[in-house]
Amino acid sequence: MTSTKNNPTPRALTSKKTVAQKSGKSAKKDVAKLSRWLHIYLSMVSFAIVLFFAVTGLTLNHPSWLGGDKQIESKLKGKLDAKWVNNPDTNKVARLEIVEWMRNKHQVKGAVSEFRIDDSEVTVTFKGPAYSADAFIDREKGTYELSEIKMGIVAIMNDLHKGRDSGTGWGWVIDISAVFLTLVSLTGLILMLFLKKKRVSGLVSAIIGLLLCYLLYVWLVP
């Protein structure tokens, strides 16, 4: 007699295939559900920042539309404690006191981008989005002249879009926004792949879009 213990019956093979098919379908459903969940909620969480970068993409390309290229320049004069600057040892120049004086006295904004000391003068430069201020301090007398340039809200938004003089923290916001946009795009692509009737046309549209971007680059960029 021939033993059948090691030879699965057709019914057993069919049962194993059915289980594998069900497992595969379940995994696909889980991927589709996760992609849909991520696509919806990442889109909503990042809605404001995506809208911000979309709008500022226009204002950045056309700064004159809403007065983004206008600026107000003002010059101020004053005197601080000469002891802070007239010490022959430049390492003992009171950097912190000078910076805080400018902030408290004239409401100077932005971060200190340069603090330069030479034989006769101390120069302090502050930079922020759509903002700059330069203080020129006489080391002998302690007198100074402050030149300040301010621009409007559109210019501020444009500089935030570029991350110019916006600090490390805002740089992280830009990076996180880029990650969100990448995830939203990829999850949208994954969802499209689960739509049998739209899969081919969707992929063709994506490829056409990529080719158009490349052709526009070749055609329009010198």
Side-chain angles (χ1 to χ4, degrees), residues 19-186:
V19 171
Q21 288 174 351
K22 287 182 178 180
S23 178
K25 288 181 179 179
S26 177
K28 287 181 180 179
K29 286 183 179 179
D30 290 341
V31 172
K33 286 181 181 179
L34 178 61
S35 297
R36 187 180 298 110
W37 186 88
L38 286 172
H39 187 75
I40 292 171
Y41 289 102
L42 284 176
S43 297
M44 291 300 97
V45 168
S46 59
F47 170 77
I49 198 71
V50 170
L51 181 62
F52 170 81
F53 281 106
V55 172
T56 52
L58 285 173
T59 58
L60 187 63
N61 205 31
H62 305 279
S64 61
W65 279 6
L66 298 173
D69 55 347
K70 294 182 179 179
Q71 63 183 36
I72 300 173
E73 185 173 3
S74 59
K75 292 186 181 294
L76 303 168
K77 293 183 178 182
K79 184 176 181 179
L80 47 72
D81 191 340
K83 293 180 181 178
W84 292 347
V85 290
N86 62 12
N87 195 309
D89 185 353
T90 57
N91 292 321
K92 294 183 179 179
V93 170
R95 297 168 184 261
L96 179 61
E97 287 82 353
I98 293 169
V99 170
E100 291 304 312
W101 170 273
M102 293 298 170
R103 294 195 189 283
N104 295 328
K105 183 71 174 180
H106 301 292
Q107 288 71 55
V108 172
K109 301 182 295 182
V112 177
S113 64
E114 183 182 16
F115 198 109
R116 184 170 55 84
I117 305 171
D118 59 31
D119 292 338
S120 60
E121 190 175 68
V122 172
T123 303
V124 188
T125 300
F126 300 83
K127 291 283 188 180
Y131 177 88
S132 67
D134 296 285
F136 304 96
I137 308 167
D138 186 294
R139 290 192 63 190
E140 182 181 354
K141 301 176 181 177
T143 56
Y144 62 84
E145 182 176 307
L146 177 67
S147 176
E148 190 177 39
I149 296 176
K150 296 179 181 179
M151 302 181 75
I153 184 65
V154 174
I156 293 174
M157 291 169 61
N158 288 344
D159 277 358
L160 288 174
H161 182 108
K162 294 180 287 186
R164 176 186 290 173
D165 301 319
S166 304
T168 304
W170 184 256
W172 277 104
V173 172
I174 295 175
D175 290 342
I176 293 170
S177 301
V179 172
F180 275 15
L181 282 171
T182 302
L183 289 174
V184 168
S185 300
L186 291 177

